[in-house]
Amino acid sequence: MDFLISAGMTYWHWWSLAAILLVLEMLAPGVFFLWLAFAAVLTGAAKLVFGGMIFEIQLLVFALCGLVATFAGRRWVMRRINAKGDDDNAESPGLNQRELQFRGRIITLPHDMTSGETRVVLDGTTWRLYVGQLLKAGDQVRITAIKGTVLQGEAVSD
């Protein structure tokens, strides 16, 4: 530490520290090192602009920028997560939750029903469909639920 104080840190030292922190960010889970890297970049920029900063002031700038960047970054990340809702992919609601994908969908029966059920193909998967009444091919059914591997439905009245 005495070497850094006596030799003085340049803006390149701070930017090198930022690069090291970015590498750590790629290796470690989470987003913590990203904000510290941002603080190191800002400290290096301050050192470049205000060239005569002593080491202690540089550390203070780094600490303050690190705190502000960490709290602001956490707030930004949480806002983005909450904006998407519970689903990890806001563009594909119900991803990996078939019941959410199929509930409410209206399908046309490809075959006549026997004993109140038939087979249908939805999104490339063959499903058993149970309606509880006999319907003919071409009738429409609304999916109401999934129980195990069986779709539950009700006839759509015209």
Side-chain angles (χ1 to χ4, degrees), residues 117-137:
E117 67 177 56
T118 189
R119 295 208 176 267
V120 294
V121 177
L122 290 177
D123 299 340
T125 304
T126 302
W127 294 85
R128 279 182 34 218
L129 172 65
Y130 178 78
V131 177
Q133 61 189 25
L134 294 178
L135 299 174
K136 304 266 182 213

Side-chain angles (χ1 to χ4, degrees), residues 22 32 35 69 73 75-76 127 140 144 147 158:
L22 287 174
F32 180 69
W35 311 122
R75 185 176 177 158
W76 178 75
W127 294 85
Q140 292 189 324
T144 57
K147 294 193 178 174
D158 294 325

Side-chain angles (χ1 to χ4, degrees), residues 62-129:
F62 177 69
L64 290 175
C65 287
L67 282 172
V68 170
T70 300
F71 286 112
R74 182 181 185 283
R75 185 176 177 158
W76 178 75
V77 167
M78 294 307 289
R79 198 172 331 130
R80 288 190 48 108
I81 288 172
N82 291 336
K84 289 183 177 181
D86 294 332
D87 202 339
D88 289 336
N89 189 350
E91 295 175 3
S92 300
L95 183 65
N96 294 331
Q97 297 176 351
R98 291 292 179 117
E99 187 166 358
L100 293 178
Q101 290 178 358
F102 293 157
R103 187 181 296 152
R105 187 185 287 190
I106 296 175
I107 60 171
T108 303
L109 293 178
H111 316 289
D112 291 342
M113 297 189 99
T114 56
S115 303
E117 67 177 56
T118 189
R119 295 208 176 267
V120 294
V121 177
L122 290 177
D123 299 340
T125 304
T126 302
W127 294 85
R128 279 182 34 218
L129 172 65

Side-chain angles (χ1 to χ4, degrees), residues 11-32:
Y11 62 93
W12 284 110
H13 291 112
W14 288 107
W15 290 348
S16 298
L17 176 62
I20 291 168
L21 289 168
L22 287 174
V23 169
L24 285 174
E25 178 66 36
M26 289 187 280
L27 298 175
V31 191
F32 180 69

